[in-house]
């Protein structure tokens, strides 16, 4: 093995060791609140410094205004340009500079860069305040992250962060035809069911939970389309649906697993730049974040972020969109399966 290969192996091992070190723990505040700030679809492009500067300013503005307890970045962080390593490092350094725990889930475009997924995963998990973990293959792990009550180690909330895969046209195993976007795998559905069961057994009760990932579930479109039917009179949709919906055409049963668990309060995703609605679907709030990038791709909504504030000891949260102009839009409140 030559010296270059030895250095690469040692560097990777050091990064993995750093990524497996003690991660920041999440905890409710003394007033019983816990705030998540969701950025989605930053769509940064290496070499487009003007757009990068505006996106970094947006990140700083939202963090300074909202002062979150954790930052969620739901995919499509980098979408083009070469090389992307310095840009990704700049993003991670910016998030780290606030001393606030954060996590990132991959979007479809993150897989199209000049870094391998293992290299990107290692960088992300190595952030000082990153709560991301790596799997044995070096890729980001799907996670169940507890948020402890303010006065104990018992969880008052659990956050699931998951990989919803890519948009490279997967083909049907039956006729070989493209099926648009990928879907959650059987193993992922099996995993989350197992995690729900473990959590209930460990804690003696069902812990309220939420999930963050990039590509929306098929139920997002179903919920919007059913807002006028009598069965759905309590879903109280708020926000904009500006495009059809980039979900998979294959329904793998992820929503059913969440529904049957009795745990999931809400699902938060990105991917569709012209949608930011939240809707109640069978007692689970399905919500888009607001497009957080700049003019590197299509969007017809003002740039912004989604904010979610959870209440300790309750199946409840408040959420709103913070826009770049300082306006607060589409405030909603979820409590015990109802959205107001």
């Amino acid at each position: 093995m030559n010296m270059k290969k030895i250095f690469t192996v040692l560097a990777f091992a050091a990064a993995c060791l750093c990524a497996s070190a003690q991660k920041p723990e999440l905890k409710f505040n003394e007033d019983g609140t816990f705030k998540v700030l969701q950025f989605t679809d930053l769509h940064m492009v290496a070499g487009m410094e003007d757009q990068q500067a505006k996106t970094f300013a947006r990140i700083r503005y939202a963090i300074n205004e909202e002062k979150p307890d954790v930052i969620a970045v739901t995919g499509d962080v980098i979408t083009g340009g070469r090389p992307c390593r310095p840009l990704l490092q700049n993003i991670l350094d910016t998030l780290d500079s606030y001393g606030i725990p954060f996590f990132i889930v991959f979007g479809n475009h993150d897989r199209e860069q000049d870094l391998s997924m293992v290299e990107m995963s290692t960088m992300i998990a190595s952030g000082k305040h990153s709560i991301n973990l790596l799997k044995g293959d070096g890729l980001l792990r799907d996670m169940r992250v507890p948020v402890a009550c303010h006065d104990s180690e018992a969880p008052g909330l659990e956050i699931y962060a998951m990989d919803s895969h890519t948009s490279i046209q997967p083909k049907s195993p039956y006729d070989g035809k493209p099926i648009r976007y990928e879907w959650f795998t059987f193993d992922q559905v099996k995993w989350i069911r197992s995690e729900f069961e473990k959590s209930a057994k460990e804690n003696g009760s069902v812990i309220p939970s939420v999930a963050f990932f990039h590509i929306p579930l098929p139920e997002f479109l179903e919920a919007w389309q059913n807002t006028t039917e009598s069965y759905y009179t309590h879903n109280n949709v708020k926000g904009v649906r500006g495009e059809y919906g980039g979900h998979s055409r294959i329904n793998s049963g992820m929503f059913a697993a969440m529904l049957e668990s009795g745990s999931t309060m809400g699902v938060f995703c990105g991917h569709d730049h012209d949608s930011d609605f939240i809707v109640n679907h069978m007692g689970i709030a399905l919500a888009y974040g607001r497009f957080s990038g700049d003019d590197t791709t299509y969007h017809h909504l003002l740039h912004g972020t989604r904010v979610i504030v959870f209440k300790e000891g309750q199946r409840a949260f408040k959420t709103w969109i913070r826009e770049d102009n300082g306006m607060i839009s589409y405030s909603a409140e979820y409590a015990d399966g109802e959205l107001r």
Side-chain angles (χ1 to χ4, degrees), residues 65-255:
E65 288 294 316
E66 293 294 348
K67 298 176 175 59
D69 298 299
V70 72
I71 298 166
V73 185
T74 51
D76 281 5
V77 181
I78 297 178
T79 59
R82 301 289 189 274
C84 79
R85 181 183 292 274
L87 179 54
L88 178 57
Q89 191 61 59
N90 195 359
I91 294 167
L92 296 172
D93 290 344
T94 299
L95 295 175
D96 257 335
S97 69
Y98 286 90
I100 298 170
F102 69 88
F103 65 88
I104 295 174
V105 293
F106 286 128
N108 46 295
H109 289 299
D110 294 311
R111 290 167 160 81
E112 302 167 357
Q113 309 316 311
D114 60 342
L115 284 176
S116 71
M117 295 304 294
V118 169
E119 290 173 314
M120 294 182 73
S121 297
T122 301
M123 290 177 67
I124 291 168
S126 298
K128 182 178 180 181
H129 298 285
S130 167
I131 61 174
N132 283 103
L133 297 169
L134 299 178
K135 297 187 293 182
D137 60 5
L139 297 176
L140 293 183
R141 182 190 302 178
D142 288 346
M143 303 186 300
R144 169 168 59 103
V145 183
V147 182
C149 295
H150 77 279
D151 58 354
S152 74
E153 297 302 314
L157 172 72
E158 292 183 326
I159 296 174
Y160 287 84
M162 304 179 68
D163 186 358
S164 57
H165 308 300
T166 184
S167 62
I168 297 172
Q169 297 283 344
K171 294 182 179 180
S172 166
Y174 299 101
D175 59 14
K177 294 180 180 179
I179 318 179
R180 203 184 185 191
Y181 295 104
E182 286 188 279
W183 51 92
F184 283 109
T185 66
F186 174 84
D187 285 341
Q188 285 177 297
V189 177
K190 182 180 178 180
W191 171 81
I192 201 169
R193 285 184 178 275
S194 174
E195 291 299 308
F196 286 139
E197 293 174 1
K198 286 180 184 177
S199 173
K201 185 176 181 179
E202 291 167 359
N203 297 290
S205 63
V206 173
I207 304 299
S209 67
V210 290
F212 290 86
F213 43 83
H214 182 66
I215 297 177
L217 299 169
E219 283 80 5
F220 275 67
L221 179 60
E222 178 185 347
W224 177 279
Q225 291 175 331
N226 288 329
T227 54
T228 59
E229 294 187 10
S230 59
Y231 181 78
Y232 295 90
T233 54
H234 299 293
N235 60 4
N236 292 333
V237 62
K238 294 188 178 184
V240 174
R241 176 188 169 228
E243 53 188 300
Y244 176 78
H247 55 80
S248 170
R249 290 174 180 159
I250 303 298
N251 192 325
S252 63
M254 181 60 73
F255 181 85

Side-chain angles (χ1 to χ4, degrees), residues 92 311 328:
L92 296 172
K311 300 178 181 179
I328 301 298

